[in-house]
């Protein structure tokens, strides 16, 4: 066994003494272990977020198009005052909410089947089948839908087949909602499955013994118990939709917060305005996380 | 029959999840450059053409480099963070987990923009390292979560026994802690690698003019001429996604064996 060999391989005295000294000094140990990860996140990540936040209060010189490092609230005034930005923000939040609700509706039956009906190998196989799309490239899955929704593509062909030759989704708001629902569905199925699996069977039997039919048991016993899991899944579906700008660009003609941010930053070069608008999803996500925490999402993650 | 409705709904959802992937796989064999359905002429020529595409090969190399770099950084930082949070009680301990989850909880566009603003402010040129900086930031949490979950399940007393028998901290880590968390490290690394390899939103802000595979797809999917090659790349990526599933299955088998040994 390795454990018997280890002391014989003994490191040279100085290294051993150093390690012993270190073992006695907890603070030094904590500091040494903590320095690389906290250094990386503190400097690179939080530092970057701070720069982004501060730059939201700078402005673009109208004459030279250079960024002026002087404090102004002009970006936020522009965002709050303009109906264009408000519409984009509300649309993004609205679509994120609709996608979340659709995913909950679609996830429930399959999660219920996996957790309460399927057993053994069937359950394991279903679990793998739900998990697998998450490993498949996000962009490939959006691209697949772009092809399916395209003019004369599989979906148009299907509508013709069932006698609706004039119907075509094309690249539209509805298409975007479908694709988002498709993309994040596994993120909703998996937590609901885990939540349903945790419910003791005796609870359902007790409800039935007390005279509740299966519908009643579902509403009064099962649903309240899986609220935290639904909330946990919602964090993924809501946040991922909120921050996306690739899907709207590929399967619809609408703009999300992300599209406006990307264009202001990349095309127009107005980093301060982009930074100011980027605070909107952060704030919305903050409020959403607080709400979901009250529903017990973090215990179910 | 009880549960018939559930069965139908389950089947429908699985169809919804897999039909698009199946359809895109068929398109890779479409002789026509267009997108019209049904496909009438079939060919395998696009696979060879895709293989000979130098831009695509460079993109693949860059993606592999970025994913390897991010995975290594994530392994080191994630393991260190898991060790310190699991072992010690200290001021700000809860904040560490929150800090590591933040890049996943916040929209990717915020992380991307923030890093982009920093690179621009300090005139950092866009290289594979700027991509790694972005990817590693959200990959650390996958390693951290896997390792800390494993540590919580294993007993601290075996490490104490090792120290009591005279092993140094380094030896204890090498011979006791590491074997316990090894499979968790592999699982975390797989997840980190896949996340990085697939990432597109943060990458659009940290790559400059460099092309990773996802960026290449994004730049080429609108060009009718390139469409057949994009289809081939899509199939390649779908097949690639089966690999971690296969490895994970092998891993859990080895994992339970290793668990028995310890």
């Amino acid at each position: 066994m390795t454990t018997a060999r280890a002391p014989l391989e003994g490191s040279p005295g100085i290294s051993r003494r150093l390690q012993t000294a270190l073992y006695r000094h907890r603070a030094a140990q904590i500091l040494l272990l903590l320095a690389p990860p906290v250094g990386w996140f503190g400097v690179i990540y939080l530092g970057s977020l701070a720069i982004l936040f501060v730059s939201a209060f700078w402005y673009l010189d109208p004459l030279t198009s250079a960024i002026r490092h002087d404090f102004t609230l002009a970006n936020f005034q522009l965002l709050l005052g303009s109906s264009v930005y408000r519409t984009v923000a509300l649309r993004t939040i609205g679509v994120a909410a609709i996608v979340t609700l659709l995913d909950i509706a679609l996830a429930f039956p399959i999660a219920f089947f996996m957790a309460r009906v399927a057993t053994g190998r069937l359950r394991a196989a279903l679990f793998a089948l739900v998990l697998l799309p998450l490993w498949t490239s996000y962009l490939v899955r959006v691209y697949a839908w772009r092809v399916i929704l395209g003019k004369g593509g599989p979906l148009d062909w299907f509508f013709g087949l069932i006698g609706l030759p004039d119907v075509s989704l094309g690249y539209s708001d509805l298409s975007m909602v479908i694709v988002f629902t498709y993309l994040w569905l596994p993120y909703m199925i998996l937590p609901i499955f885990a939540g349903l699996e945790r419910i003791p069977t005796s609870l359902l039997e007790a409800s039935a013994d007390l005279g509740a039919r299966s519908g009643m048991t579902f509403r009064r016993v099962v649903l309240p118990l899986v609220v935290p899991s639904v909330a946990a899944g919602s964090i993924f579906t809501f946040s991922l939709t909120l921050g996306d700008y690739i899907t709207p660009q590929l399967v619809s003609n609408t703009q999300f917060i992300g599209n406006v941010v990307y264009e202001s930053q990349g095309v127009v070069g107005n980093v301060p305005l982009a930074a100011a608008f980027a605070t909107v999803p952060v704030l919305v996500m903050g409020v959403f996380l607080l709400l979901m925490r009250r529903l017990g999402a973090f215990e179910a993650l | 029959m009880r549960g018939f409705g559930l069965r139908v709904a389950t089947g429908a959802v699985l169809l919804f999840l897999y039909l698009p992937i199946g359809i895109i796989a068929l398109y890779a064999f479409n002789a026509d450059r267009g997108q019209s359905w049904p496909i009438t002429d079939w060919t395998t020529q696009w696979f060879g053409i895709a293989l000979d595409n130098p831009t695509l090969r460079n993109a693949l190399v860059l993606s592999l480099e970025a994913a390897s770099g991010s995975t290594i950084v994530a392994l080191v930082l994630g393991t260190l963070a898991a060790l310190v949070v699991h072992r010690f009680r200290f001021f700000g301990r809860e904040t560490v987990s929150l800090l590591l989850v933040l890049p996943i909880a916040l929209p990717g566009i915020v992380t991307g923009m923030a890093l982009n603003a920093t690179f621009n402010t300090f005139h950092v040129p866009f290289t594979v390292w700027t991509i790694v900086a972005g990817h590693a930031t959200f990959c650390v949490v996958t390693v951290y979560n896997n390792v800390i979950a494993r540590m919580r399940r294993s007993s601290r007393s075996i490490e104490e026994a090792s120290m009591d028998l005279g092993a140094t901290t380094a030896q204890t880590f090498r011979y006791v802690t590491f074997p316990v968390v090894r499979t968790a490290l592999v699982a975390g690394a797989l997840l980190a690698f896949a996340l990085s390899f697939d990432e597109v939103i943060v990458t659009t802000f940290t790559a400059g003019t460099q092309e990773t595979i996802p960026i290449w797809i994004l730049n080429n999917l609108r060009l009718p001429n390139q469409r057949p090659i994009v289809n081939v790349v899509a199939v390649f990526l779908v097949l690639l996604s089966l690999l971690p599933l296969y490895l994970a299955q092998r891993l859990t088998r080895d994992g339970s064996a290793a668990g028995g040994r310890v």
Side-chain angles (χ1 to χ4, degrees):
Chain A
M1 265 303 276
T2 45
T3 33
R5 201 174 69 232
L8 295 178
E9 277 182 4
S11 33
I14 182 115
S15 158
R16 174 173 282 263
R17 253 178 296 159
L18 206 67
Q19 289 180 43
T20 313
L22 205 56
Y23 185 75
R24 295 216 178 98
H25 291 89
R26 286 173 33 89
Q29 264 188 88
I30 294 174
L31 217 63
L32 269 177
L33 288 173
L34 207 54
V38 168
W40 178 286
F41 276 83
V43 175
I44 296 186
Y45 189 56
L46 290 186
S48 296
L49 285 179
I51 288 180
L52 182 69
F53 185 70
V54 170
S55 64
F57 298 96
W58 293 340
Y59 63 97
L60 213 59
D61 192 303
L63 290 177
T64 60
S65 284
I67 296 168
R68 297 287 295 269
H69 297 190
D70 298 315
F71 180 83
T72 175
L73 286 172
N75 298 314
F76 291 97
Q77 280 160 352
L78 178 65
L79 292 176
L80 289 172
S82 148
S83 67
V84 177
Y85 292 112
R86 213 176 316 145
T87 311
V88 170
L90 289 177
R91 177 192 301 137
T92 309
I93 296 165
V95 169
I98 292 171
V99 167
T100 300
L101 292 176
L102 282 175
D103 272 337
I104 294 172
L106 285 179
F108 243 102
I110 183 171
F112 193 85
F113 182 78
M114 285 165 67
R116 314 291 326 182
V117 182
T119 49
R121 297 183 70 148
L122 178 62
R123 181 190 281 189
L126 285 172
F127 187 80
L129 281 174
V130 172
L131 196 66
L132 190 61
L134 291 184
W135 287 91
T136 310
S137 167
Y138 153 85
L139 203 53
V140 166
R141 294 191 295 147
V142 183
Y143 174 66
W145 274 100
R146 192 178 153 83
V147 172
I148 290 168
L149 293 160
K151 227 182 204 84
L155 199 66
D156 282 357
W157 172 83
F158 175 74
F159 282 133
L161 203 67
I162 58 170
L164 299 165
D166 299 330
V167 179
S168 174
L169 291 181
Y171 302 142
S172 60
D173 286 7
L174 179 60
S175 303
M176 176 176 66
V177 169
I178 293 173
V179 175
F180 272 132
T181 306
Y182 168 80
L183 287 171
W184 318 135
L185 184 56
Y187 286 108
M188 187 61 87
I189 297 176
L190 295 172
I192 296 184
F193 161 72
L196 286 169
E197 202 191 16
R198 274 198 296 266
I199 300 176
T201 314
S202 56
L203 234 56
L204 307 182
E205 287 167 357
S207 171
D209 288 347
L210 292 167
R213 287 166 190 271
S214 53
M216 170 84 112
T217 304
F218 186 75
R219 273 197 312 276
R220 303 283 295 273
V221 181
V222 175
L223 272 188
L225 286 172
V226 288
V227 165
S229 311
V230 173
S234 302
I235 292 178
F236 291 105
T237 58
F238 193 82
S239 146
L240 288 168
T241 311
L242 203 65
D244 203 322
Y245 73 95
I246 305 278
T247 301
Q249 182 186 317
L250 291 185
V251 297
S252 83
N253 298 308
T254 21
Q255 285 209 313
F256 259 34
I257 295 177
N259 299 93
V260 175
V261 168
Y262 186 74
E263 270 164 37
S264 317
Q265 185 262 356
V267 183
V268 190
N270 193 343
V271 176
L273 185 68
F277 207 24
T279 57
V280 176
V282 175
L283 288 176
V284 172
M285 215 40 228
V287 173
F288 191 78
L289 283 175
L290 284 178
L291 281 175
M292 293 303 113
R293 193 173 69 173
R294 292 191 72 178
L295 293 176
F298 293 100
E299 283 77 45
L301 268 177
Chain B
M1 184 185 140
R2 195 184 168 273
F4 179 72
L6 270 183
R7 267 165 223 275
V8 172
T10 302
V13 166
L14 287 178
L15 194 69
F16 178 54
L17 284 177
Y18 282 92
L19 201 59
I21 298 175
I23 288 175
I24 202 65
L26 289 179
Y27 267 103
F29 301 94
N30 187 1
D32 188 63
R33 282 177 192 270
Q35 288 187 337
S36 63
W37 182 271
I39 297 168
T40 46
D41 298 312
W42 303 85
T43 179
T44 51
Q45 61 162 333
W46 306 122
F47 285 83
I49 293 172
L51 221 59
D52 286 337
N53 188 321
T55 343
L56 194 54
R57 263 197 238 160
N58 290 340
L60 182 64
V61 170
L62 182 65
S63 273
L64 291 174
E65 285 172 354
S68 310
S70 321
T71 305
I72 292 168
V73 174
L75 276 174
V76 173
L77 299 184
T79 310
L80 289 176
L83 273 173
V84 73
V85 168
H86 179 65
R87 285 214 184 133
F88 303 102
R89 303 278 171 277
F90 55 91
F91 178 74
R93 183 169 169 271
E94 269 73 46
T95 324
V96 174
S97 327
L98 184 74
L99 190 61
L100 300 189
V101 182
L102 207 58
I104 298 254
L106 287 184
I109 192 157
V110 175
T111 306
M113 264 216 70
L115 289 171
N116 187 277
T118 306
F119 295 148
N120 281 331
T121 307
F122 295 102
H123 306 287
V124 180
F126 292 110
T127 60
V128 65
W129 295 110
T130 52
I131 303 177
V132 168
H135 289 186
T137 303
F138 58 78
C139 284
V140 171
V141 71
T142 67
V143 175
Y144 170 80
N145 277 346
N146 271 288
V147 172
I148 203 159
R150 178 66 53 85
M151 284 177 168
R152 281 184 186 136
R153 279 203 304 272
S154 71
S155 167
R156 176 94 173 90
S157 55
I158 54 167
E159 287 175 349
E160 284 161 359
S162 159
M163 303 285 242
D164 287 346
L165 291 168
T168 62
T169 317
Q171 284 171 331
T172 302
F173 182 81
R174 168 72 185 81
Y175 295 109
V176 181
T177 316
F178 180 71
V180 169
V181 298
R182 189 173 46 205
T183 50
L185 283 173
V186 177
L190 267 177
L191 207 56
F193 194 93
L195 269 180
S196 165
F197 196 78
D198 185 34
E199 215 286 332
V200 54
I201 291 183
V202 175
T203 319
T204 54
F205 289 95
T206 58
T209 55
Q210 308 170 90
E211 278 186 335
T212 60
I213 287 281
I215 303 275
W216 182 89
I217 298 178
L218 198 59
N219 290 344
N220 284 276
L221 59 75
R222 283 208 182 78
L223 311 172
N225 258 340
Q226 297 283 52
R227 209 176 278 149
I229 306 178
V230 175
N231 293 337
V232 168
V233 175
V235 172
F236 169 72
L237 291 182
V238 168
L239 290 178
L240 208 62
S241 68
L242 294 171
L243 198 66
L245 194 78
Y246 167 76
L247 287 174
Q249 219 155 28
R250 288 279 311 267
L251 200 71
T252 42
R253 229 176 292 150
D254 293 359
S256 52
R261 226 173 24 235
V262 169

